Amino acid sequence: MGNNQGPVLLAVESLRKFFGEVRAANDISLEIAQGQVLTLVGANGAGKSTFLNMLIGLVRPDRGEIRLEGKRITGLPPEQRAKMGIVKTFQLEHVFDDMTVFDNVRTACLSVAGKHYVMFKDVSTEREINERTQHILELFDLARVCQTLVRNLGHGYKKVIDIAMSFAMKPKILLVDEPTSGVGEEEKYRIMELMMNQIRANNLAAIIVEHDLNLVKDIAKETIVMHEGEFIARGAPEEVFSQDKVVEVLVGRGF
Amino acid sequence: MLSTCLRYVLNSLPVVSYVILLSFSYSFILYICGRVSLTFAGIYLVGAYATVSLGMALMGNNMSFAGFIGILLLACLLGAAMLVASYLCFERFLKTDVHRMVATSSLLVASRGLVKVIWGTTPVTYSAPFLSMGVSEIAGNIVPNYYLFMLAVALLLMLALSYFLNRTCWGMRFRASSLDGERTMAQACGVNQNVVTLMTFAIAGVLAGLAGGLYAPIAGAAYGSEGNALLLAALSVIIGGVGSIGGAVLAAFIVGIARAVAAIKMPVLELAVPFIIASITLMLRPFGLWGKEFRY
Amino acid sequence: MGANTRTDRMLPSQFDDKLIAAIGLTLLAALIPFFVSEYVRTLIQRCLLWIPPIFGVYFIYSLLRQVHFAQSIFIGLGSYIVAFLAGKYFLTSELLILLPLSLLACVVVAYVLGIFIMRRTGFYFAIMGIAVTMVFWSLVYKMRQITGGSDGISDIKNPTLLGIQLSEQGFYYICLLISVGLIVLMYRILHSPFSMQLKAIRGDLQKAESIGIPVHQMRRLAFVVAGANAGLSGVLLAFLYNYVGPTSFAWEFGAQFVQAAIIGGVNYFVGPIVGAFAFVGLEFLVSTWFPNLWEIVIGVTVALVVVTVGEEGVTGIAKNLLGRVFKGANLKERTYSDGK
């Protein structure tokens, strides 16, 4: 699995995080090139979410280095990393509940345009931002519900909104934490398709955490299996899932 | 040098003891019920005024120890009754923390008003218990026995509460409620939330009323002193952390001694010093020095 | 009130209604001094000057869901700047110097305080706010030689504007101008990208961070905006009362702005305006007839308002009643929906 897609975008070097006795990440190293899509699988508690949270800066690693395009970002706060192009969507619902769908995405657009401290201008006069928001909403098939309060929408919608907001950030690398958890079978495929289309269209790098192994086979050429804070296998999905130790980890002993 | 330090510590004992009681009254409700309630400072004020006026009316200057204890008990009961009443009438209906803060701060203002109507705004003093207990000498420093009595009462109460919470069956129900953010799991396990909440408020009322009653013979009861009480108690909760008895005691010592030292060295900064300590604590340990991670 | 921004999404008729109502109310306020006694005018002036600090509380409350008890610091700062410069150590009573100076002082103090007290939310913020006001109060109270201690500083010279001594009437119009100006400004700020991102921070802190919003910095700035409002008011309040004392730093004084905001209703943009008039009016009525009961009345009233209607306040109740009376009228439009 060489990095034949291009120059290294994100480099992780011996990242470690222990929560007391629990090893959430044990000397993880990883390199991702532009346009490279990886899936990350593993049982609950294998350290997948912690790994992603360390990449975006919500969790501080005990040691190790993270570099984005050669620049060291290990100590930077989350908002700066987001600006540099490393964006994550969340496993649980993390959307702005008491705002409309439009405003949710618009907030992300405003943020990426650096308009944090614009105080004396009406939001609706930010024409470029509004057009971009509308465009993104159409890409993700959200235009119909754009004036609905998010808290009145279903779980599946909130997932899509979360992903749309991440795309609004103009990311270079997208970290996706279980985009389909808690979503019905049909919607699962729709969300995945919407997302993968955009990832391919923009030639983004992505790490996608996913539990559904059939989906994993569909979406990426390369997959990583994580267990107790370590990458125990890496390669094409079919190949990896046929290894004994992977089966043991994912499905359990005695199966 | 050592004796100077000791003198500071001994001088700060009254403040330390009443801050222990008050801050734990506040953090107890916050910890067990997850409710912010600022009413305790009003209870403190009422407790102080009740003790002073009862003492003057019943005993005047002929002080009897048993009588004073009786008055303190009455102040405790009054405090518990007021806090439970405020819970039943208002705080029960408050759904969010913002609402609680706004409503309880207004109730605090209302209890100030109550004191104003009943006792007026001039400070009153009743120092018979303080004077009649005499003094003793510790390492060359003269200490009023009343200081030691206050500290003993505060520490004994904390010990008793700690025993209650950690060793008894009822205490376990209290702790179960505190660990449970929404208080539904504890309920599902058969802990009656209404009873636990009422008891929590009653205990907090006892602590706040007692704090006022105990401190009144030294400082008198003064309309407006509830602000000081609120400040010191809340800051020591921020320093000590929510829900930890040891934290409440140690933070009260920190706040009390810092304030006593500042009051002598730089009187202007008397209140600023505890505030600065609390700010630094918030920067370094957001959940207080001995506090556990709390849902705020 | 005060909506002269061009907005795309507002319907023309709605927009006109609001603008007409705002201009009408402003005109009414401008004409009132010709018809009422001096005493009532001072009372109205006080209402007008209370509006900006209440807007500060409203700003923090409606966007961040935090209770801002510390407005009195900035009122006090503005007032004491006036007391020193136009009273005790007379240098100038020029409003064009004093107002910007107080604004600058409040911005700096608010920013520095924001570093400490805007770090945490919830009761930590509220308590630290109360604590800060108490600290300022004790500083002012104890520095007797400089601040006059509990006696305060009276004998403040009359304000001047461009060197011209202002009459009492003229000062009323300055107050009206500043107050309306700040309301218009707050309207703009509340509809700006800044406010939208603040609202996002309140909605979900982690998500806000992960989409690149500098959370702490923006919270601090929100605190600065609130403080700046109060600082400007403080200058004018000092001139109005001709007296400045440490009570302007007292915690219960800061709590009054929260109470007024709650009475007015935090869900509506007009809430602070209604709240200022309702609070000052209620205080006037109660203290005329039952001066001792004021604290009980206001305390219980606010508690009852919170318990019964939450953030709706008087404005919400009035809108509800009007909506029932005029069934066809569309009065449901809100500035901000409540959080939970």
Side-chain angles (χ1 to χ4, degrees):
Chain A
M1 296 290 113
N3 295 323
N4 48 7
Q5 282 100 333
V8 175
L9 185 67
L10 180 80
V12 178
E13 242 172 62
S14 55
L15 208 58
R16 175 183 284 184
K17 178 77 190 176
F18 290 174
F19 294 108
E21 291 290 297
V22 181
R23 296 171 176 196
N26 194 1
D27 292 335
I28 293 176
S29 298
L30 181 70
E31 281 188 353
I32 295 180
Q34 197 179 353
Q36 188 177 5
V37 177
L38 284 175
T39 47
L40 189 58
V41 294
N44 284 329
K48 298 168 304 216
S49 291
T50 309
F51 175 57
L52 296 192
N53 282 339
M54 278 193 286
L55 294 186
I56 63 160
L58 288 180
V59 174
R60 183 190 290 265
D62 293 342
R63 69 167 215 213
E65 284 234 332
I66 306 164
R67 279 193 297 273
L68 187 67
E69 292 180 313
K71 272 176 294 217
R72 198 167 165 274
I73 59 165
T74 320
L76 294 182
E79 65 260 21
Q80 281 185 36
R81 298 193 201 193
K83 288 268 173 62
M84 292 171 79
I86 175 160
V87 181
K88 183 190 149 189
T89 73
F90 288 82
Q91 177 183 0
L92 300 169
E93 286 173 6
H94 276 278
V95 283
F96 308 130
D97 254 343
D98 44 6
M99 292 162 84
T100 61
V101 176
F102 191 83
D103 283 353
N104 263 271
V105 179
R106 180 151 68 172
T107 311
C109 290
L110 284 169
S111 171
V112 74
K115 304 206 180 236
H116 302 299
Y117 309 117
V118 181
M119 288 194 200
F120 304 115
K121 221 171 158 192
D122 204 289
V123 216
S124 50
T125 57
E126 300 275 359
R127 187 139 293 149
E128 263 174 54
I129 301 281
N130 294 341
E131 275 163 15
R132 186 151 176 264
T133 309
Q134 195 63 41
H135 177 68
I136 290 168
L137 287 178
E138 273 155 22
L139 285 182
F140 284 90
D141 201 14
L142 288 168
R144 286 176 297 120
V145 289
C146 74
Q147 291 304 331
T148 319
L149 277 185
V150 171
R151 84 176 119 178
N152 297 334
L153 291 172
H155 183 66
Y157 268 118
K158 292 186 185 177
K159 288 267 172 191
V160 180
I161 294 165
D162 193 348
I163 295 168
M165 280 160 87
S166 304
F167 269 97
M169 289 302 295
K170 300 179 182 166
K172 292 177 183 132
I173 173 160
L174 194 66
L175 313 176
V176 190
D177 201 350
E178 301 195 27
T180 62
S181 70
V183 173
E185 200 62 27
E186 232 169 86
E187 211 162 6
K188 226 178 200 178
Y189 282 90
R190 197 178 71 89
I191 293 175
M192 218 25 135
E193 201 186 318
L194 278 172
M195 188 174 80
M196 290 316 293
N197 282 343
Q198 289 310 313
I199 289 177
R200 287 196 198 100
N202 295 305
N203 194 26
L204 298 181
I207 302 179
I208 302 169
V209 173
E210 180 55 61
H211 272 310
D212 188 331
L213 298 186
N214 291 323
L215 266 178
V216 168
K217 282 177 194 161
D218 291 346
I219 55 186
K221 281 187 268 174
E222 197 175 352
T223 193
I224 296 177
V225 183
M226 203 168 173
H227 180 61
E228 288 182 351
E230 283 175 50
F231 293 166
I232 56 164
R234 181 174 180 177
E238 289 83 0
E239 202 180 294
V240 167
F241 294 152
S242 58
Q243 293 176 18
D244 282 349
K245 58 178 178 182
V246 172
V247 173
E248 198 175 282
V249 165
L250 290 184
V251 192
R253 278 161 236 267
F255 180 74
Chain B
M1 184 59 214
L2 201 66
S3 117
T4 327
C5 288
L6 188 65
R7 194 164 69 237
Y8 283 132
V9 172
L10 291 173
N11 275 336
S12 67
L13 285 186
V15 175
V16 167
S17 344
Y18 100 90
V19 170
I20 290 176
L21 292 173
L22 263 189
S23 69
F24 199 68
S25 149
Y26 172 57
S27 83
F28 195 53
I29 299 183
L30 192 55
Y31 183 58
I32 304 288
C33 312
R35 285 168 174 271
V36 185
S37 175
L38 305 180
T39 334
F40 71 93
I43 309 292
Y44 158 83
L45 193 61
V46 173
Y49 266 99
T51 308
V52 171
S53 59
L54 277 177
M56 293 296 272
L58 297 180
M59 299 194 292
N61 287 328
N62 314 317
M63 157 71 192
S64 84
F65 189 68
F68 181 60
I69 299 288
I71 290 173
L72 283 184
L73 284 180
L74 275 179
C76 293
L77 275 183
L78 184 66
M82 278 183 68
L83 210 50
V84 167
S86 111
Y87 171 73
L88 288 177
C89 297
F90 296 102
E91 296 185 34
R92 186 153 64 107
F93 304 107
L94 301 168
K95 292 291 179 293
T96 64
D97 288 329
V98 204
H99 285 182
R100 283 173 199 145
M101 276 183 290
V102 173
T104 55
S105 70
S106 336
L107 288 175
L108 172 53
V109 170
S111 49
R112 256 168 77 98
L114 195 68
V115 166
K116 191 177 179 181
V117 170
I118 300 177
W119 287 286
T121 52
T122 37
V124 287
T125 50
Y126 169 62
S127 42
F130 171 59
L131 295 174
S132 69
M133 273 195 203
V135 294
S136 53
E137 200 178 313
I138 297 179
N141 289 294
I142 308 273
V143 196
N145 282 339
Y146 191 80
Y147 286 14
L148 302 175
F149 167 70
M150 263 183 95
L151 187 71
V153 171
L155 289 182
L156 278 179
L157 249 155
M158 287 298 113
L159 276 180
L161 261 176
S162 145
Y163 178 82
F164 169 72
L165 282 180
N166 294 319
R167 293 286 144 77
T168 61
C169 175
W170 263 101
M172 201 173 68
R173 293 182 196 173
F174 275 70
R175 279 186 299 136
S177 314
S178 79
L179 295 174
D180 177 9
E182 298 294 313
R183 269 95 202 159
T184 44
M185 196 59 208
Q187 187 131 36
C189 295
V191 179
N192 186 336
Q193 280 306 297
N194 290 332
V195 174
V196 165
T197 311
L198 271 179
M199 279 178 69
T200 311
F201 271 78
I203 292 174
V206 165
L207 292 176
L210 186 63
L214 271 180
Y215 195 46
I218 296 175
Y223 171 83
S225 66
E226 85 290 338
N228 251 326
L230 174 66
L231 175 80
L232 291 179
L235 288 186
S236 74
V237 169
I238 289 177
I239 294 171
V242 172
S244 131
I245 291 180
V249 173
L250 287 169
F253 269 101
I254 292 177
V255 167
I257 292 171
R259 188 174 161 276
V261 173
I264 291 165
K265 296 277 178 200
M266 290 168 291
V268 172
L269 297 181
E270 188 185 329
L271 289 182
V273 168
F275 173 74
I276 291 167
I277 296 176
S279 312
I280 295 170
T281 316
L282 266 189
M283 296 286 232
L284 302 178
R285 300 279 308 251
F287 295 96
L289 295 178
W290 293 275
K292 300 170 199 80
E293 190 123 336
F294 199 63
R295 82 194 156 90
Y296 283 96
Chain C
M1 208 166 159
N4 58 3
T5 47
R6 265 193 66 86
T7 52
D8 296 346
R9 273 167 45 199
M10 259 186 219
L11 297 172
S13 65
Q14 235 178 338
F15 176 59
D16 286 347
D17 281 353
K18 278 189 177 171
L19 189 59
I20 287 167
I23 290 173
L25 280 175
T26 314
L27 274 179
L28 183 68
L31 291 175
I32 266 181
F34 295 108
F35 304 109
V36 296
S37 67
E38 197 178 327
Y39 184 71
V40 178
R41 193 192 63 212
T42 316
L43 210 59
I44 294 174
Q45 214 162 341
R46 188 169 152 220
C47 295
L48 288 176
L49 292 182
W50 268 49
I51 292 172
I54 298 173
F55 256 109
V57 173
Y58 166 81
F59 185 66
I60 302 281
Y61 194 111
S62 71
L63 292 177
L64 291 171
R65 292 286 138 168
Q66 306 293 331
V67 191
H68 185 3
F69 282 116
Q71 277 301 44
S72 54
I73 297 172
F74 306 105
I75 299 262
L77 266 180
S79 298
Y80 269 96
I81 284 176
V82 172
F84 287 142
L85 293 185
K88 197 171 178 192
Y89 313 105
F90 180 77
L91 284 176
T92 175
S93 60
E94 174 63 52
L95 283 178
L96 285 184
I97 297 174
L98 289 174
L99 285 174
L101 196 65
S102 154
L103 190 65
L104 186 72
C106 286
V107 166
V108 172
V109 170
Y111 192 83
V112 174
L113 282 181
I115 295 174
F116 294 104
I117 71 175
M118 263 292 180
R119 249 188 127 63
R120 294 290 306 281
T121 55
F123 91 91
Y124 287 95
F125 170 70
I127 288 295
M128 288 303 263
I130 293 180
V132 165
T133 62
M134 294 285 302
V135 169
F136 270 80
W137 175 84
S138 78
L139 287 183
V140 170
Y141 194 80
K142 287 187 175 149
M143 287 199 258
R144 255 197 113 73
Q145 305 91 325
I146 306 171
T147 59
S150 53
D151 299 335
I153 299 170
S154 52
D155 190 23
I156 296 165
K157 303 283 182 301
N158 280 338
T160 56
L161 186 68
L162 293 167
I164 305 161
Q165 195 96 8
L166 283 170
S167 67
E168 303 239 314
Q169 288 261 352
F171 185 56
Y172 175 87
Y173 288 111
I174 296 291
C175 293
L176 181 64
L177 184 76
I178 297 273
S179 177
V180 171
L182 283 177
I183 293 170
V184 173
L185 214 57
M186 282 314 280
Y187 187 85
R188 286 210 146 188
I189 293 179
L190 279 164
H191 291 82
S192 68
F194 177 67
S195 298
M196 178 169 272
Q197 287 167 74
L198 280 182
K199 223 179 144 194
I201 292 173
R202 157 187 124 201
D204 193 319
L205 189 90
Q206 281 200 340
K207 183 70 191 168
E209 271 185 333
S210 77
I211 60 168
I213 297 175
V215 173
H216 295 291
Q217 186 74 6
M218 291 197 71
R219 272 208 204 130
R220 236 170 279 154
L221 273 181
F223 192 66
V224 169
V225 168
N229 271 308
L232 291 180
S233 266
V235 170
L236 300 175
L237 276 171
F239 279 121
L240 179 67
Y241 288 139
N242 202 10
Y243 164 77
V244 178
T247 43
S248 47
F249 280 117
W251 78 267
E252 60 268 22
F253 186 59
Q256 284 182 348
F257 297 108
V258 177
Q259 291 161 351
I262 291 291
I263 289 181
V266 200
N267 282 345
Y268 305 93
F269 181 75
V270 289
I273 302 166
V274 175
F277 279 89
F279 187 91
V280 175
L282 189 66
E283 189 180 12
F284 170 68
L285 289 180
V286 174
S287 54
T288 311
W289 285 298
F290 315 100
N292 272 332
L293 291 182
W294 163 241
E295 283 180 326
I296 296 185
V297 169
I298 187 65
V300 173
T301 310
V302 173
L304 278 179
V305 166
V306 174
V307 165
T308 50
V309 290
E311 275 109 17
E312 294 285 298
V314 178
T315 320
I317 298 171
K319 280 205 173 183
N320 213 336
L321 285 181
L322 283 178
R324 271 188 209 164
V325 176
F326 310 105
K327 275 217 168 108
N330 177 22
L331 288 163
K332 285 203 169 166
E333 205 244 337
R334 286 171 165 191
T335 326
Y336 286 98
S337 55
D338 54 332
K340 286 181 183 170

